[in-house]
Amino acid sequence: MAEILAVDEAMERALALLESGDVVAIPTETVYGLAGDATNGIGVARIFEAKGRPRFNPLIAHVADMAMAERVALFDPLSRKLALAFWPGPLTLVLPQRPGNDIHPLVTAGLDTIALRMPRGFGGDLIARLGRPLAAPSANSSGRISATTAQAVAADLGARIKLVVDGGATPVGLESTIVKAEGGKLRLLRPGGIAAQEIEAVVGMELLRGADAGVEAPGMLASHYAPDAAVRLNAGTVGEGEALLAFGKRRAEGWQKAAACLNLSEAGDLREAASNLFAHMQELDRSGARTIAVEPVPFDGLGEAINDRLSRAAAPRDNSLPPT
């Protein structure tokens, strides 16, 4: 099983593993990430192997500062404005790759663009010490619920990796928002830990939604973030033996007979709901219920990202993905 070390004890051990081409699970402000040296093909391949991730699905490369980001990608004025406003933080920018950036092709899944983010805390410090970007998707089996604690990482991937760095529960609890600038406009590829309205306020324009075609960034597969149990959205009633993922003060009819019940936010606070989402889904999944009924969550602010994750968790499971 993986060793679990606190952040103040883990730096040298994490660096040694990364330098040797291995992977490390690390805390970020969004969710826990499974990190490998983005310039090392063996390290990147180990990320895909540990997660069971399809290799057509690109990874986010994480940088320590703007100088490192500039060595990896080409910034247009809109993207630079967003980076200065929101980095470090839960925003990922999809940018053209700078030629000769040494990023391994597995990171970008053959695309001519790269998804870049600058994390806070231990992740940023680790990248600065390594001196190279880290590829770091969420630290969970591909398509499953993202981990927001070191214990959740160990329960899922502990037999496949050597080290989990424990930074406590992640404060945001949702993956990063992914945005791509094109033709002087901004496209929201994945809602996440920064609400679209916050981005729109900085750039003074409305975000377009969705990709033009295909998978342009991580987290865009239709079925994703899925528990073992089926997920039923916008539940107004609770069936016998279903678990209930609640929101706010008013309960779905028949909630008393739920196999288990957890509330994302009794107060209806979307930031609290986002931070609780994955941990609550994991706990309800462990209840043994065959279905998790989910009460409606507003689409305002972070509600867009919460509903995005819930809809992907509820999507038909695709068991026909190519082997990795």
mmCIF file of all heavy atoms in Angstrom, residues 209-247:
data_model
loop_
_atom_site.group_PDB
_atom_site.id
_atom_site.type_symbol
_atom_site.label_atom_id
_atom_site.label_comp_id
_atom_site.label_asym_id
_atom_site.label_seq_id
_atom_site.Cartn_x
_atom_site.Cartn_y
_atom_site.Cartn_z
ATOM 1 N N ARG A 209 -20.072 28.289 -24.569
ATOM 2 C CA ARG A 209 -20.091 27.010 -23.881
ATOM 3 C C ARG A 209 -19.725 25.868 -24.810
ATOM 4 O O ARG A 209 -20.126 25.852 -25.970
ATOM 5 C CB ARG A 209 -21.476 26.720 -23.320
ATOM 6 C CG ARG A 209 -21.866 27.157 -21.908
ATOM 7 C CD ARG A 209 -21.063 28.195 -21.260
ATOM 8 N NE ARG A 209 -21.529 28.494 -19.909
ATOM 9 C CZ ARG A 209 -21.532 29.696 -19.390
ATOM 10 N NH1 ARG A 209 -21.121 30.725 -20.094
ATOM 11 N NH2 ARG A 209 -21.927 29.891 -18.148
ATOM 12 N N GLY A 210 -18.939 24.896 -24.284
ATOM 13 C CA GLY A 210 -18.681 23.648 -24.986
ATOM 14 C C GLY A 210 -17.557 23.739 -25.998
ATOM 15 O O GLY A 210 -17.088 24.812 -26.374
ATOM 16 N N ALA A 211 -17.115 22.557 -26.453
ATOM 17 C CA ALA A 211 -16.029 22.463 -27.425
ATOM 18 C C ALA A 211 -16.583 22.488 -28.837
ATOM 19 O O ALA A 211 -17.736 22.138 -29.076
ATOM 20 C CB ALA A 211 -15.234 21.175 -27.197
ATOM 21 N N ASP A 212 -15.749 22.905 -29.793
ATOM 22 C CA ASP A 212 -16.153 22.864 -31.194
ATOM 23 C C ASP A 212 -16.315 21.428 -31.671
ATOM 24 O O ASP A 212 -17.269 21.094 -32.368
ATOM 25 C CB ASP A 212 -15.112 23.579 -32.066
ATOM 26 C CG ASP A 212 -15.203 25.095 -31.918
ATOM 27 O OD1 ASP A 212 -16.285 25.589 -31.564
ATOM 28 O OD2 ASP A 212 -14.184 25.764 -32.158
ATOM 29 N N ALA A 213 -15.389 20.562 -31.290
ATOM 30 C CA ALA A 213 -15.463 19.162 -31.722
ATOM 31 C C ALA A 213 -14.518 18.330 -30.879
ATOM 32 O O ALA A 213 -13.409 18.746 -30.570
ATOM 33 C CB ALA A 213 -15.085 19.043 -33.199
ATOM 34 N N GLY A 214 -14.970 17.123 -30.504
ATOM 35 C CA GLY A 214 -14.110 16.155 -29.848
ATOM 36 C C GLY A 214 -13.669 16.555 -28.451
ATOM 37 O O GLY A 214 -14.195 17.486 -27.853
ATOM 38 N N VAL A 215 -12.678 15.825 -27.942
ATOM 39 C CA VAL A 215 -12.132 16.071 -26.613
ATOM 40 C C VAL A 215 -10.982 17.056 -26.737
ATOM 41 O O VAL A 215 -9.920 16.730 -27.252
ATOM 42 C CB VAL A 215 -11.657 14.744 -25.966
ATOM 43 C CG1 VAL A 215 -10.988 15.019 -24.629
ATOM 44 C CG2 VAL A 215 -12.831 13.793 -25.789
ATOM 45 N N GLU A 216 -11.196 18.299 -26.288
ATOM 46 C CA GLU A 216 -10.168 19.334 -26.369
ATOM 47 C C GLU A 216 -9.420 19.515 -25.061
ATOM 48 O O GLU A 216 -8.381 20.175 -25.021
ATOM 49 C CB GLU A 216 -10.795 20.678 -26.759
ATOM 50 C CG GLU A 216 -11.360 20.729 -28.163
ATOM 51 C CD GLU A 216 -11.730 22.142 -28.569
ATOM 52 O OE1 GLU A 216 -10.950 23.069 -28.272
ATOM 53 O OE2 GLU A 216 -12.804 22.327 -29.150
ATOM 54 N N ALA A 217 -9.950 18.953 -23.975
ATOM 55 C CA ALA A 217 -9.358 19.176 -22.658
ATOM 56 C C ALA A 217 -9.791 18.041 -21.740
ATOM 57 O O ALA A 217 -10.724 17.295 -22.049
ATOM 58 C CB ALA A 217 -9.827 20.522 -22.100
ATOM 59 N N PRO A 218 -9.115 17.893 -20.579
ATOM 60 C CA PRO A 218 -9.514 16.857 -19.635
ATOM 61 C C PRO A 218 -10.938 17.065 -19.121
ATOM 62 O O PRO A 218 -11.466 18.169 -19.119
ATOM 63 C CB PRO A 218 -8.494 17.019 -18.501
ATOM 64 C CG PRO A 218 -7.336 17.723 -19.117
ATOM 65 C CD PRO A 218 -7.921 18.630 -20.154
ATOM 66 N N GLY A 219 -11.561 15.962 -18.664
ATOM 67 C CA GLY A 219 -12.857 16.048 -18.003
ATOM 68 C C GLY A 219 -14.019 16.270 -18.939
ATOM 69 O O GLY A 219 -15.091 16.665 -18.491
ATOM 70 N N MET A 220 -13.851 15.993 -20.245
ATOM 71 C CA MET A 220 -14.920 16.245 -21.207
ATOM 72 C C MET A 220 -15.625 14.969 -21.666
ATOM 73 O O MET A 220 -16.533 15.037 -22.501
ATOM 74 C CB MET A 220 -14.373 17.006 -22.420
ATOM 75 C CG MET A 220 -13.875 18.407 -22.093
ATOM 76 S SD MET A 220 -13.298 19.322 -23.539
ATOM 77 C CE MET A 220 -14.845 19.524 -24.434
ATOM 78 N N LEU A 221 -15.216 13.797 -21.160
ATOM 79 C CA LEU A 221 -15.921 12.570 -21.530
ATOM 80 C C LEU A 221 -17.331 12.603 -20.952
ATOM 81 O O LEU A 221 -17.561 13.095 -19.847
ATOM 82 C CB LEU A 221 -15.175 11.343 -21.002
ATOM 83 C CG LEU A 221 -13.749 11.126 -21.538
ATOM 84 C CD1 LEU A 221 -13.155 9.865 -20.935
ATOM 85 C CD2 LEU A 221 -13.753 11.059 -23.053
ATOM 86 N N ALA A 222 -18.296 12.063 -21.712
ATOM 87 C CA ALA A 222 -19.703 12.132 -21.290
ATOM 88 C C ALA A 222 -19.923 11.430 -19.961
ATOM 89 O O ALA A 222 -20.650 11.911 -19.089
ATOM 90 C CB ALA A 222 -20.597 11.533 -22.368
ATOM 91 N N SER A 223 -19.294 10.259 -19.777
ATOM 92 C CA SER A 223 -19.424 9.518 -18.518
ATOM 93 C C SER A 223 -18.141 9.707 -17.717
ATOM 94 O O SER A 223 -17.057 9.353 -18.167
ATOM 95 C CB SER A 223 -19.664 8.032 -18.785
ATOM 96 O OG SER A 223 -19.717 7.310 -17.569
ATOM 97 N N HIS A 224 -18.279 10.259 -16.514
ATOM 98 C CA HIS A 224 -17.106 10.626 -15.721
ATOM 99 C C HIS A 224 -17.558 10.834 -14.284
ATOM 100 O O HIS A 224 -18.750 10.997 -14.024
ATOM 101 C CB HIS A 224 -16.499 11.913 -16.298
ATOM 102 C CG HIS A 224 -15.016 12.028 -16.107
ATOM 103 N ND1 HIS A 224 -14.129 11.059 -16.487
ATOM 104 C CD2 HIS A 224 -14.254 13.023 -15.578
ATOM 105 C CE1 HIS A 224 -12.896 11.449 -16.217
ATOM 106 N NE2 HIS A 224 -12.948 12.637 -15.645
ATOM 107 N N TYR A 225 -16.615 10.824 -13.345
ATOM 108 C CA TYR A 225 -16.912 11.107 -11.931
ATOM 109 C C TYR A 225 -17.972 10.146 -11.377
ATOM 110 O O TYR A 225 -18.811 10.536 -10.561
ATOM 111 C CB TYR A 225 -17.402 12.558 -11.745
ATOM 112 C CG TYR A 225 -16.591 13.584 -12.478
ATOM 113 C CD1 TYR A 225 -17.101 14.245 -13.587
ATOM 114 C CD2 TYR A 225 -15.294 13.898 -12.068
ATOM 115 C CE1 TYR A 225 -16.348 15.192 -14.276
ATOM 116 C CE2 TYR A 225 -14.538 14.845 -12.751
ATOM 117 C CZ TYR A 225 -15.070 15.481 -13.851
ATOM 118 O OH TYR A 225 -14.325 16.412 -14.521
ATOM 119 N N ALA A 226 -17.970 8.886 -11.820
ATOM 120 C CA ALA A 226 -19.098 7.994 -11.550
ATOM 121 C C ALA A 226 -18.864 7.090 -10.341
ATOM 122 O O ALA A 226 -17.816 6.466 -10.216
ATOM 123 C CB ALA A 226 -19.383 7.129 -12.773
ATOM 124 N N PRO A 227 -19.861 6.967 -9.447
ATOM 125 C CA PRO A 227 -19.813 5.964 -8.380
ATOM 126 C C PRO A 227 -20.233 4.598 -8.933
ATOM 127 O O PRO A 227 -20.635 4.477 -10.102
ATOM 128 C CB PRO A 227 -20.849 6.482 -7.380
ATOM 129 C CG PRO A 227 -21.842 7.198 -8.247
ATOM 130 C CD PRO A 227 -21.056 7.801 -9.385
ATOM 131 N N ASP A 228 -20.158 3.564 -8.101
ATOM 132 C CA ASP A 228 -20.670 2.250 -8.514
ATOM 133 C C ASP A 228 -22.182 2.297 -8.666
ATOM 134 O O ASP A 228 -22.756 1.676 -9.561
ATOM 135 C CB ASP A 228 -20.284 1.182 -7.484
ATOM 136 C CG ASP A 228 -18.807 0.820 -7.553
ATOM 137 O OD1 ASP A 228 -18.237 0.861 -8.666
ATOM 138 O OD2 ASP A 228 -18.227 0.521 -6.502
ATOM 139 N N ALA A 229 -22.848 3.014 -7.783
ATOM 140 C CA ALA A 229 -24.300 3.128 -7.837
ATOM 141 C C ALA A 229 -24.719 3.974 -9.039
ATOM 142 O O ALA A 229 -23.983 4.838 -9.502
ATOM 143 C CB ALA A 229 -24.823 3.773 -6.557
ATOM 144 N N ALA A 230 -25.923 3.702 -9.542
ATOM 145 C CA ALA A 230 -26.508 4.577 -10.551
ATOM 146 C C ALA A 230 -26.828 5.925 -9.903
ATOM 147 O O ALA A 230 -27.006 6.021 -8.685
ATOM 148 C CB ALA A 230 -27.772 3.943 -11.120
ATOM 149 N N VAL A 231 -26.912 6.966 -10.711
ATOM 150 C CA VAL A 231 -27.207 8.306 -10.208
ATOM 151 C C VAL A 231 -28.469 8.815 -10.905
ATOM 152 O O VAL A 231 -28.561 8.810 -12.133
ATOM 153 C CB VAL A 231 -26.032 9.269 -10.460
ATOM 154 C CG1 VAL A 231 -26.388 10.690 -10.025
ATOM 155 C CG2 VAL A 231 -24.789 8.791 -9.703
ATOM 156 N N ARG A 232 -29.427 9.275 -10.115
ATOM 157 C CA ARG A 232 -30.693 9.804 -10.643
ATOM 158 C C ARG A 232 -30.805 11.269 -10.246
ATOM 159 O O ARG A 232 -30.814 11.594 -9.054
ATOM 160 C CB ARG A 232 -31.862 8.988 -10.083
ATOM 161 C CG ARG A 232 -33.221 9.384 -10.641
ATOM 162 C CD ARG A 232 -34.282 8.354 -10.283
ATOM 163 N NE ARG A 232 -34.531 8.271 -8.856
ATOM 164 C CZ ARG A 232 -35.377 9.075 -8.209
ATOM 165 N NH1 ARG A 232 -36.016 10.041 -8.844
ATOM 166 N NH2 ARG A 232 -35.565 8.915 -6.904
ATOM 167 N N LEU A 233 -30.905 12.142 -11.229
ATOM 168 C CA LEU A 233 -30.840 13.581 -10.995
ATOM 169 C C LEU A 233 -32.219 14.201 -10.784
ATOM 170 O O LEU A 233 -33.245 13.634 -11.166
ATOM 171 C CB LEU A 233 -30.154 14.269 -12.176
ATOM 172 C CG LEU A 233 -28.729 13.813 -12.504
ATOM 173 C CD1 LEU A 233 -28.187 14.587 -13.682
ATOM 174 C CD2 LEU A 233 -27.810 13.953 -11.298
ATOM 175 N N ASN A 234 -32.210 15.396 -10.168
ATOM 176 C CA ASN A 234 -33.419 16.217 -9.980
ATOM 177 C C ASN A 234 -34.552 15.420 -9.342
ATOM 178 O O ASN A 234 -35.706 15.485 -9.764
ATOM 179 C CB ASN A 234 -33.872 16.813 -11.320
ATOM 180 C CG ASN A 234 -32.816 17.719 -11.913
ATOM 181 O OD1 ASN A 234 -32.233 18.551 -11.223
ATOM 182 N ND2 ASN A 234 -32.550 17.552 -13.202
ATOM 183 N N ALA A 235 -34.192 14.665 -8.316
ATOM 184 C CA ALA A 235 -35.156 13.766 -7.666
ATOM 185 C C ALA A 235 -36.139 14.557 -6.808
ATOM 186 O O ALA A 235 -35.748 15.302 -5.914
ATOM 187 C CB ALA A 235 -34.416 12.742 -6.811
ATOM 188 N N GLY A 236 -37.437 14.362 -7.083
ATOM 189 C CA GLY A 236 -38.477 14.936 -6.244
ATOM 190 C C GLY A 236 -39.027 13.944 -5.260
ATOM 191 O O GLY A 236 -39.746 14.307 -4.318
ATOM 192 N N THR A 237 -38.685 12.664 -5.472
ATOM 193 C CA THR A 237 -39.090 11.584 -4.576
ATOM 194 C C THR A 237 -37.899 10.669 -4.362
ATOM 195 O O THR A 237 -36.959 10.658 -5.159
ATOM 196 C CB THR A 237 -40.264 10.775 -5.153
ATOM 197 O OG1 THR A 237 -39.839 10.179 -6.398
ATOM 198 C CG2 THR A 237 -41.481 11.656 -5.400
ATOM 199 N N VAL A 238 -37.955 9.889 -3.294
ATOM 200 C CA VAL A 238 -36.899 8.920 -2.989
ATOM 201 C C VAL A 238 -37.522 7.544 -2.942
ATOM 202 O O VAL A 238 -38.498 7.309 -2.215
ATOM 203 C CB VAL A 238 -36.211 9.228 -1.650
ATOM 204 C CG1 VAL A 238 -35.125 8.204 -1.358
ATOM 205 C CG2 VAL A 238 -35.624 10.631 -1.674
ATOM 206 N N GLY A 239 -36.992 6.611 -3.738
ATOM 207 C CA GLY A 239 -37.498 5.247 -3.765
ATOM 208 C C GLY A 239 -36.946 4.416 -2.628
ATOM 209 O O GLY A 239 -35.923 4.762 -2.009
ATOM 210 N N GLU A 240 -37.615 3.319 -2.349
ATOM 211 C CA GLU A 240 -37.177 2.401 -1.294
ATOM 212 C C GLU A 240 -35.746 1.945 -1.556
ATOM 213 O O GLU A 240 -35.410 1.482 -2.641
ATOM 214 C CB GLU A 240 -38.102 1.183 -1.262
ATOM 215 C CG GLU A 240 -37.906 0.284 -0.053
ATOM 216 C CD GLU A 240 -38.459 0.924 1.220
ATOM 217 O OE1 GLU A 240 -39.550 1.520 1.180
ATOM 218 O OE2 GLU A 240 -37.765 0.815 2.265
ATOM 219 N N GLY A 241 -34.879 2.124 -0.566
ATOM 220 C CA GLY A 241 -33.504 1.644 -0.676
ATOM 221 C C GLY A 241 -32.553 2.562 -1.411
ATOM 222 O O GLY A 241 -31.358 2.272 -1.495
ATOM 223 N N GLU A 242 -33.046 3.682 -1.976
ATOM 224 C CA GLU A 242 -32.141 4.633 -2.616
ATOM 225 C C GLU A 242 -31.414 5.466 -1.560
ATOM 226 O O GLU A 242 -31.949 5.727 -0.485
ATOM 227 C CB GLU A 242 -32.921 5.582 -3.533
ATOM 228 C CG GLU A 242 -33.445 4.941 -4.801
ATOM 229 C CD GLU A 242 -34.051 5.962 -5.750
ATOM 230 O OE1 GLU A 242 -34.681 6.929 -5.266
ATOM 231 O OE2 GLU A 242 -33.891 5.802 -6.972
ATOM 232 N N ALA A 243 -30.206 5.882 -1.874
ATOM 233 C CA ALA A 243 -29.517 6.877 -1.061
ATOM 234 C C ALA A 243 -29.884 8.255 -1.589
ATOM 235 O O ALA A 243 -30.221 8.410 -2.769
ATOM 236 C CB ALA A 243 -28.010 6.662 -1.131
ATOM 237 N N LEU A 244 -29.823 9.260 -0.723
ATOM 238 C CA LEU A 244 -30.223 10.608 -1.121
ATOM 239 C C LEU A 244 -29.078 11.590 -0.943
ATOM 240 O O LEU A 244 -28.524 11.727 0.157
ATOM 241 C CB LEU A 244 -31.422 11.075 -0.299
ATOM 242 C CG LEU A 244 -31.902 12.512 -0.577
ATOM 243 C CD1 LEU A 244 -32.409 12.648 -2.010
ATOM 244 C CD2 LEU A 244 -32.980 12.927 0.424
ATOM 245 N N LEU A 245 -28.729 12.279 -2.028
ATOM 246 C CA LEU A 245 -27.804 13.402 -1.972
ATOM 247 C C LEU A 245 -28.660 14.667 -1.977
ATOM 248 O O LEU A 245 -29.235 15.041 -2.998
ATOM 249 C CB LEU A 245 -26.850 13.387 -3.165
ATOM 250 C CG LEU A 245 -25.745 14.450 -3.161
ATOM 251 C CD1 LEU A 245 -24.832 14.307 -1.949
ATOM 252 C CD2 LEU A 245 -24.917 14.379 -4.443
ATOM 253 N N ALA A 246 -28.763 15.288 -0.820
ATOM 254 C CA ALA A 246 -29.695 16.398 -0.635
ATOM 255 C C ALA A 246 -28.998 17.732 -0.830
ATOM 256 O O ALA A 246 -27.764 17.833 -0.839
ATOM 257 C CB ALA A 246 -30.306 16.322 0.761
ATOM 258 N N PHE A 247 -29.828 18.791 -0.979
ATOM 259 C CA PHE A 247 -29.307 20.150 -1.063
ATOM 260 C C PHE A 247 -30.339 21.095 -0.471
ATOM 261 O O PHE A 247 -31.530 21.040 -0.818
ATOM 262 C CB PHE A 247 -29.022 20.547 -2.505
ATOM 263 C CG PHE A 247 -28.548 21.976 -2.648
ATOM 264 C CD1 PHE A 247 -27.226 22.304 -2.397
ATOM 265 C CD2 PHE A 247 -29.431 22.982 -3.001
ATOM 266 C CE1 PHE A 247 -26.788 23.617 -2.498
ATOM 267 C CE2 PHE A 247 -29.002 24.299 -3.110
ATOM 268 C CZ PHE A 247 -27.672 24.618 -2.854
#
